[in-house]
Amino acid sequence: MMPLFEQIKNRPFVLSGPCVIESADLLFEVAEKVKAISEKLGFVYIFKASFDKANRTSIHSFRGIGYEKGLEALAAVKARYQLPIVTDIHESHQAAEVGKVADILQIPAFLCRQTDLLVAAAQTGRIVNIKKAQFLSGKDMRYPAQKVADSGNTQILLTERGNAYGNNDLVVDFRNLIEMQTLGYPTVMDMTHAVQKPGGAEGKSGGNRYYAPFFAKAAAAMGVRGFFVETHPNPDKALSDGANMIALDDLESVLAQTLEFVYLAERQQKD
């Protein structure tokens, strides 16, 4: 089989799953359904869930089921459904162990300038997905990417998730996607975190999932072929970022519509 990074460079791909690991049963339900959707539509599918949400607004918020149990749950998904895995790391000492399970190590947006974290992720030999900080422009992402590349790893993804201008809100400047694509690495649109309202719901982040499909289609029309989308069978009952997540039953429609814009952009490029 073609290596995962080569698949990502050659086909539309989606990083998708629940925000945080709530239970093994939730992971299995989401993985099974999103795998079927992805195979039907033709996406490369990478399963996503966080074993620890270390950046929750409140110290009382749910963070996950723990480091060891979380990695065990992700390994179980990988084995049962034969899926590649992406998950976040927050500290450099986590990289090597998480890299034994995850095919893609994700660098959280607020940590994308942390040199030791980037270098440790690079040294695992795994793909490194760097989420653009809410305070950076797209062109500034050349520097985090260079830290990974100069550490001997050019398997890099760059993910857009909006910019913060205060007042518990994010704004997507689509020029960032153009700038990030010029750096030569696959670019990802995080359609669900881009509609987040950080800290805007009295001790937790709010958001509005209604806008997420529009952001995905706009990014696709600009040549983006990678999409990050968190999903849950019942987002309003989710333990983290529920306001932003796409309902699992709605995901196929969202991805199918997005794919139409991917193909439209490809036809225009050929013309």
Side-chain angles (χ1 to χ4, degrees):
M1 180 181 291
M2 184 183 295
L4 179 59
F5 194 62
E6 293 303 311
Q7 294 182 54
I8 285 171
K9 290 195 297 184
N10 288 283
R11 290 172 52 195
F13 62 98
V14 59
L15 293 73
S16 185
C19 178
V20 65
I21 300 172
E22 299 177 15
S23 68
D25 287 342
L26 171 66
L27 300 193
F28 294 154
E29 179 181 0
V30 172
E32 182 173 359
K33 185 156 188 177
V34 182
K35 180 179 181 181
I37 292 169
S38 299
E39 289 177 347
K40 177 180 177 180
L41 297 178
F43 282 95
V44 177
Y45 175 39
I46 302 98
F47 180 82
K48 183 272 167 187
S50 297
F51 59 83
D52 179 24
K53 299 298 293 184
N55 56 349
R56 296 302 305 272
T57 302
S58 169
I59 196 170
H60 302 294
S61 295
F62 180 76
R63 288 182 54 166
I65 63 174
Y67 179 74
E68 293 183 2
K69 290 183 178 179
L71 288 183
E72 288 174 2
L74 291 172
V77 170
K78 186 172 189 174
R80 179 178 293 198
Y81 298 103
Q82 298 300 297
L83 288 171
I85 301 293
V86 57
T87 195
D88 314 85
I89 57 172
H90 293 85
E91 299 180 66
S92 56
H93 70 79
Q94 296 174 335
E97 195 66 27
V98 176
K100 295 177 182 178
V101 175
D103 303 85
I104 302 178
L105 299 183
Q106 184 163 280
I107 308 300
F110 284 127
L111 301 179
C112 78
R113 291 175 52 159
Q114 295 297 105
T115 301
D116 290 345
L117 186 63
L118 291 162
V119 171
Q123 290 175 343
T124 66
R126 295 300 198 176
I127 299 167
V128 182
N129 180 28
I130 312 173
K131 302 193 84 171
K132 183 181 73 62
Q134 297 89 330
F135 50 83
L136 290 181
S137 70
K139 63 185 177 182
D140 290 329
M141 288 301 288
R142 73 184 64 191
Y143 302 109
Q146 186 176 7
K147 291 178 182 180
V148 175
D150 285 355
S151 300
N153 188 342
T154 57
Q155 297 184 108
I156 299 167
L157 307 178
L158 301 177
T159 295
E160 164 67 337
R161 50 123 344 129
N163 284 82
Y165 296 96
N167 298 317
N168 304 110
D169 211 354
L170 295 174
V171 175
V172 177
D173 182 342
F174 284 91
R175 292 175 297 181
N176 287 330
L177 291 171
I178 298 171
E179 292 170 346
M180 287 160 63
Q181 288 180 87
T182 65
L183 299 178
Y185 303 108
T187 301
V188 180
M189 180 68 216
D190 182 343
M191 68 173 87
T192 45
H193 284 105
V195 301
Q196 189 182 61
K197 293 184 178 293
E202 297 185 358
K204 61 182 180 180
S205 292
N208 189 342
R209 69 178 69 94
Y210 171 79
Y211 296 105
F214 296 99
F215 285 5
K217 287 183 281 191
M222 300 175 71
V224 172
R225 304 173 80 208
F227 304 91
F228 182 104
V229 50
E230 291 185 335
T231 186
H232 193 283
N234 188 348
D236 293 332
K237 298 290 186 180
L239 299 180
S240 177
D241 270 354
N244 316 310
M245 283 197 278
I246 301 295
L248 189 56
D249 286 343
D250 296 334
L251 185 63
E252 181 174 345
S253 174
V254 170
L255 290 179
Q257 292 176 41
T258 301
L259 196 59
E260 291 180 12
F261 283 81
V262 170
Y263 292 150
L264 175 63
E266 289 179 349
R267 288 196 297 269
Q268 290 178 335
Q269 288 176 354
K270 290 178 182 178
D271 294 341

